[in-house]
Amino acid sequence: MADYNDISRVDDLYNALMHKNYSEVRRLCLAHPEDLLQKISIYNDTALHMTAHSTKNDLVLDLLKILPAESNPQLSDVKNDDGNTILHEVAASDAMKDAAEELLKRNGHLLTASNNLGEKPIFCAARYGQSQMFEFLAKEMKLEELSPEESKAHLQRKDGTTVLHISIATECFELARFIVIRYPYLAGQRDQLSMTALQYLACNPTAFRRRIIQKQEELIELLCSSNFEEKQGLKQFFIRTYDIFFRDKNRERYELRKLYELVELLVEKDASWNMIEKKEGRNSQESSTTKDEKRNESPLFLATMIGITEIVEAVLKYKPEALKHTNKDGMNILHVAILYRYIDIFDMVVEHKVLARRLLSATDNKKNSVLHMVSQKRKSQASEKIQSPAFQLRNELVLFEKVKSASKNLITNPLNNDNKTAEELFATANEPLHKEGKQWVMETIENCTILSVFIATVAFAAAYTVPGGPDQKTGS
């Protein structure tokens, strides 16, 4: 049973760390160096774990100087509930590089110690996008001297997720680009869901739009909080608006450039196209569950389904042969682009006339041409919910004519498996929308008629009313 004084000391140390009373932390550890490796939190963190969380490099170095030399062998065995050593926590910040170096001098086994997920400390550096720490740990591990298979064991955790997967998942694209260049064999590695790094990126549309969204959110916040009645209020509003849209412009351009370079590198090195093509050829009719849908789709199709034009553009540039792929339903990229209503992707592919000829003439497993696809039920069309039925129908007609114009000389079989032409299918599919549109127009006309009568009545009364009103005495 633990001594009461020991428990009290540990509580004092924990409270000092929680209240960021670092001078008290130093005093307590100097008095009892053995407490440095005691587990003091509910997550079984030691004082060194908790100090590393705070990214206090100097404090960690001071505490390591206090730690007795005979305790160094224990450093690789002291882990919290996540299985993280102190180096795992230190690796989460570039600012802790000196602390990492000192830890490795004391115990080199920390470098290859794994947590509960099978992650080495270098994996934590990748998760948090800490490029300097990642390079430092890679150098210490001498990964350049190892074969791909040997280094892969350090760069991949139990479930198959690599440092490249995790850096893309956490949107640390500059580090991800560095990893692809330094360890190109990771581009083809698959995680437990059999997904490559490019498939990860193709599932993340916000990566390409988040800066625009952030600026819009900042502007909305500014509009909601602005007080134009204050002196100089309007001037301050425009100054703040300028700051939102133009500050750190060079940094944003740099980050976007690195993201686009990452896309091009992954498209060049990704081999998922070939594997997916074999699967499609062997079992194209097999239905997949929702969980399997993403891994069974090529990066091109994933990007098309959520409108990431940058990936589609890179595929057209570096892997144009990927356009011949079809999904489990026999749809090609044009079918999918129309189904999900990403017409800019449709236009991009159609511009490549040589590539587009066969795509425009192709049909899916139900013999639906690209023109038939205009009538298919759309998915994720939330923007249309706020449109009137008449405008929705107009948009559908415009799209139908657009696709018909692009494919009119290339469709070889006008009938699908239900013996319907694209025109017949379009009329049937949009009949409810046509009725709703008619009803909306009639209601709009009725409302406008009532409003016009009201306006005319007011105008007539105003025209025959004497300015100032009648004389109260004479009535004239």
Side-chain angles (χ1 to χ4, degrees):
M1 188 171 178
D3 185 83
Y4 175 79
N5 290 330
D6 292 341
I7 296 173
S8 178
R9 280 203 322 269
V10 167
D11 287 343
D12 290 342
L13 181 56
Y14 176 79
N15 289 327
L17 284 164
M18 291 301 294
H19 290 91
K20 300 181 180 180
N21 188 350
Y22 299 128
S23 59
E24 179 67 6
V25 171
R26 287 184 177 91
R27 188 190 68 77
L28 290 169
C29 291
L30 277 169
H32 298 278
E34 67 276 12
D35 289 348
L36 276 168
L37 297 184
Q38 291 294 320
K39 296 179 178 181
I40 61 175
S41 78
I42 59 172
Y43 303 109
N44 282 324
D45 291 311
T46 66
L48 285 168
H49 280 94
M50 294 182 68
T51 311
H53 291 165
S54 305
T55 64
K56 298 293 182 183
N57 186 64
D58 292 340
L59 181 58
V60 173
L61 289 172
D62 289 346
L63 296 183
L64 286 174
K65 289 175 184 176
I66 297 170
L67 186 71
E70 57 268 22
S71 299
N72 288 341
Q74 300 177 44
L75 287 171
S76 56
D77 297 322
V78 177
K79 299 181 178 182
N80 61 17
D81 285 350
D82 295 323
N84 287 339
T85 65
I86 298 160
L87 185 59
H88 281 89
E89 306 297 346
V90 166
S93 173
D94 282 341
M96 304 293 287
K97 185 179 173 184
D98 293 339
E101 195 170 356
E102 178 62 26
L103 280 166
L104 291 175
K105 286 178 183 177
R106 290 171 170 266
N107 189 329
H109 295 297
L110 285 165
L111 202 58
T112 53
S114 298
N115 63 15
N116 296 344
L117 296 175
E119 300 172 343
K120 308 287 192 296
I122 195 171
F123 210 100
C124 294
R127 174 183 282 108
Y128 294 100
Q130 304 302 302
S131 301
Q132 293 178 28
M133 182 65 76
F134 185 93
E135 289 186 55
F136 167 73
L137 294 175
K139 185 178 179 181
E140 292 294 314
M141 297 171 80
K142 299 180 180 179
L143 294 180
E144 297 293 315
E145 301 175 13
L146 302 178
S147 68
E149 284 302 316
E150 290 174 323
S151 62
K152 205 182 296 177
H154 299 296
L155 301 174
Q156 194 171 28
R157 67 187 187 192
K158 292 177 183 177
D159 63 0
T161 303
T162 66
V163 289
L164 181 57
H165 284 105
I166 203 69
S167 60
I168 289 175
T170 54
E171 299 189 1
C172 303
F173 300 122
E174 186 174 353
L175 178 57
R177 176 183 171 276
F178 169 83
I179 292 171
V180 175
I181 293 172
R182 186 68 63 88
Y183 312 105
Y185 48 86
L186 293 180
Q189 287 299 119
R190 294 175 174 273
D191 67 358
Q192 64 179 348
L193 294 177
S194 195
M195 290 183 67
T196 64
L198 183 56
Q199 286 174 301
Y200 265 55
L201 191 57
C203 293
N204 186 5
T206 58
F208 298 86
R209 302 168 192 159
R210 62 188 173 126
R211 291 168 184 82
I212 297 173
I213 294 169
Q214 285 171 352
K215 289 184 182 298
Q216 289 173 343
E217 289 175 348
E218 287 184 49
L219 183 58
I220 291 170
E221 183 181 349
L222 175 63
L223 288 169
C224 293
S225 61
S226 293
N227 185 355
F228 297 107
E229 294 179 359
E230 294 179 3
K231 188 177 180 181
Q232 300 292 322
L234 190 58
K235 180 181 177 182
Q236 292 301 320
F237 168 76
F238 283 115
I239 290 173
R240 179 72 179 125
T241 304
Y242 179 86
D243 286 343
I244 288 174
F245 283 94
F246 296 102
R247 69 186 176 192
D248 299 328
K249 195 171 182 180
N250 291 334
R251 177 63 186 172
E252 288 182 10
R253 285 177 177 173
Y254 175 79
E255 290 178 355
L256 283 172
R257 187 169 73 249
K258 294 302 178 186
L259 175 55
Y260 297 150
E261 288 173 4
L262 173 63
V263 169
E264 293 183 350
L265 283 169
L266 289 175
V267 168
E268 284 187 273
K269 299 180 185 302
D270 191 85
S272 60
W273 327 93
N274 298 330
M275 187 172 291
I276 289 168
E277 185 178 19
K278 289 176 184 176
K279 285 182 183 178
E280 288 163 356
R282 183 174 64 249
N283 195 9
S284 61
Q285 298 291 338
E286 182 182 301
S287 62
S288 59
T289 64
T290 304
K291 192 173 182 179
D292 290 336
E293 281 180 0
K294 290 182 179 179
R295 71 178 180 185
N296 287 335
E297 294 286 8
S298 71
L300 175 65
F301 277 59
L302 288 172
T304 303
M305 289 160 67
I306 53 180
I308 304 179
T309 56
E310 293 85 355
I311 292 181
V312 177
E313 191 173 6
V315 172
L316 285 170
K317 183 177 179 181
Y318 295 103
K319 289 282 181 73
E321 65 273 16
L323 268 71
K324 68 181 181 181
H325 290 170
T326 57
N327 64 12
K328 63 183 177 62
D329 298 315
M331 298 180 187
N332 63 35
I333 183 175
L334 294 183
H335 287 91
V336 175
I338 294 170
L339 180 64
Y340 286 86
R341 292 305 190 264
Y342 289 111
I343 309 307
D344 49 348
I345 293 178
F346 176 86
D347 292 338
M348 188 188 301
V349 177
V350 169
E351 282 180 7
H352 293 71
K353 295 185 179 179
V354 176
L355 296 172
R357 286 180 66 86
R358 289 192 177 183
L359 296 174
L360 287 166
S361 62
T363 57
D364 65 9
N365 294 340
K366 296 180 180 179
K367 298 300 180 184
N368 288 315
S369 66
V370 290
L371 193 56
H372 283 90
M373 294 308 299
V374 179
S375 309
Q376 298 299 310
K377 183 179 180 181
R378 276 96 56 207
K379 302 174 183 178
S380 302
Q381 292 297 307
S383 60
E384 287 195 353
K385 293 180 181 179
I386 61 174
Q387 288 184 340
S388 68
F391 283 113
Q392 288 183 43
L393 184 58
R394 181 204 62 183
N395 292 341
E396 294 300 297
L397 286 167
V398 169
L399 177 58
F400 187 87
E401 291 301 321
K402 181 186 185 73
V403 177
K404 184 177 182 179
S405 175
S407 61
K408 62 182 178 181
N409 297 324
L410 300 171
I411 295 177
T412 55
N413 187 358
L415 300 177
N416 63 10
N417 283 353
D418 296 325
N419 288 320
K420 286 189 176 183
T421 64
E423 287 80 1
E424 290 172 332
L425 193 60
F426 182 85
T428 303
N430 288 285
E431 186 176 355
L433 195 59
H434 181 251
K435 291 179 179 178
E436 291 175 16
K438 284 177 67 177
Q439 181 65 27
W440 179 84
V441 170
M442 294 299 295
E443 290 176 358
T444 303
I445 291 172
E446 184 179 343
N447 292 334
C448 289
T449 302
I450 294 170
L451 181 61
S452 62
V453 169
F454 174 76
I455 292 171
T457 303
V458 173
F460 181 83
Y464 287 92
T465 300
V466 177
D471 191 313
Q472 298 297 321
K473 294 180 180 180
T474 63
S476 58

